[in-house]
Amino acid sequence: MQRMYENLLNISEAAKLLGISASTLRRLEKNGTVEGYGLKVMYTPGGQRRYMLDEVQHLYSNQGFSGQTGFGNKSALLIRDLTIAFTDPQSQLSIEIEDQVSVTQQLIEEALSHSIPVIFSMTIYESSHQVSRLWSQKFPSLQILDHQSTWVHIHPKLADYPYDLINPTVYITDLYNSSVEDFLKGRQIDTLILAGATTSGSIRATAVEALQRGYKVIIPKEAVGDRNQTIQNITLLDLNARYADVVNADKVLKNMKPSLEST
């Protein structure tokens, strides 16, 4: 039964994404649809309202959201936290694993074939670091990410690739207080392709910060993951509406071409 509702939004989620209040959404409801929006209203066995994710996505497009920035001249692939901690089902931090690892492999191999830089960034926990201590107060499970533990090892299927940069970090985003941005600037990168985990955490935070720093952001939706499909769907919808191009991995693979030289 739970699976049935994974592509549905509750009234608070739908209202937030549409930029209106939940009470307005209720008020506009008539005969099973939301007047002026064309949204169908469904009810759970407990009588709670649900709205189809695809219909909300369609509204974004019609209302001028979800524009596309496309690829720039020079891309880099940035992978976050496809480590044992985020991919082992026994881990407290594990995401719902589907095709993220295999799709990321394809992205890495395509990037390498075109001499596109590949960066692997992983979250580590340092008890002596203020950010680690603060973050773990909100999210205690992070404490398993000691830099000497096996939890922070790269997933075995991804471990042997020749990464251009490996970035252990205590920070939520990959661009804050790290060598990543110097690396990108030194190679005149203008487009970041993001893969990894979690979509609602570091992927989202990095996408927002990357946009603010002037990078085009591309997210192959099959290459990112979160702890449940509802969070994944809502976050991808919002990212695509505001900060990044969220597209099928096939489209990304077709557009991963050799970087154009600056003129």
Side-chain angles (χ1 to χ4, degrees):
M1 181 64 73
Q2 179 63 33
R3 196 75 182 175
M4 177 187 302
Y5 296 109
E6 286 182 346
N7 289 315
L8 300 177
L9 306 176
N10 65 34
I11 191 167
S12 297
E13 293 164 344
K16 181 178 179 181
L17 292 169
L18 292 171
I20 61 178
S21 68
S23 60
T24 298
L25 201 51
R26 288 191 196 93
R27 180 172 52 80
L28 293 173
E29 184 180 325
K30 185 176 181 180
N31 298 325
T33 61
V34 179
E35 290 186 330
Y37 289 87
L39 285 177
K40 296 183 184 69
V41 184
M42 292 169 283
Y43 290 87
T44 68
Q48 296 177 325
R49 291 173 173 85
R50 293 291 184 268
Y51 306 84
M52 291 181 65
L53 180 67
D54 288 347
E55 289 189 351
V56 177
Q57 176 70 72
H58 183 66
L59 280 171
Y60 265 119
S61 299
N62 286 347
Q63 294 177 0
F65 289 87
S66 304
Q68 298 284 293
T69 63
F71 284 74
N73 292 329
K74 289 190 174 184
S75 301
L77 173 61
L78 176 56
I79 303 159
R80 177 72 181 241
D81 280 335
L82 287 182
T83 56
I84 302 300
F86 288 87
T87 57
D88 185 334
Q90 303 303 314
S91 169
Q92 305 167 53
L93 299 174
S94 182
I95 62 173
E96 282 195 356
I97 285 291
E98 293 182 353
D99 300 320
Q100 292 92 346
V101 173
S102 61
V103 171
T104 299
Q105 282 185 284
Q106 294 177 56
L107 292 167
I108 294 171
E109 289 169 9
E110 190 71 13
L112 293 175
S113 74
H114 295 307
S115 299
I116 292 172
V118 184
I119 302 165
F120 197 105
S121 189
M122 74 274 285
T123 306
I124 59 170
Y125 173 79
E126 293 183 0
S127 60
S128 61
H129 200 290
Q130 183 183 13
V131 170
S132 280
R133 294 197 303 271
L134 284 172
W135 195 3
S136 67
Q137 284 179 24
K138 293 295 296 182
F139 196 11
S141 297
L142 287 174
Q143 294 180 33
I144 72 169
L145 299 178
D146 183 276
H147 70 281
Q148 295 183 336
S149 85
T150 57
W151 290 118
V152 299
H153 290 180
I154 297 173
H155 188 284
K157 290 185 178 179
L158 305 175
D160 294 331
Y161 288 106
Y163 295 105
D164 294 273
L165 177 66
I166 293 180
N167 176 51
T169 180
V170 299
Y171 296 105
I172 301 167
T173 83
D174 295 291
L175 299 178
Y176 182 75
N177 200 21
S178 76
S179 57
V180 172
E181 189 162 30
D182 287 341
F183 177 93
L184 298 174
K185 286 182 176 178
R187 288 156 181 78
Q188 297 180 302
I189 300 299
D190 61 7
T191 305
L192 279 182
I193 303 166
L194 302 183
T198 60
T199 309
S200 62
S202 291
I203 297 297
R204 178 188 171 86
T206 298
V208 174
E209 185 164 355
L211 179 68
Q212 292 180 129
R213 296 186 184 218
Y215 296 98
K216 297 172 182 285
V217 182
I218 310 292
I219 301 177
K221 61 184 179 181
E222 300 91 342
V224 293
D226 218 304
R227 290 178 186 84
N228 67 65
Q229 196 61 44
T230 300
I231 293 174
Q232 172 84 345
N233 289 341
I234 292 169
T235 306
L236 288 178
L237 179 64
D238 191 53
L239 281 167
N240 190 53
R242 304 170 190 271
Y243 310 113
D245 290 1
V246 177
V247 296
N248 291 327
D250 286 346
K251 182 174 181 179
V252 179
L253 290 165
K254 289 175 183 175
N255 282 277
M256 290 177 74
K257 299 174 182 177
S259 299
L260 299 176
E261 294 298 328
S262 298
T263 57

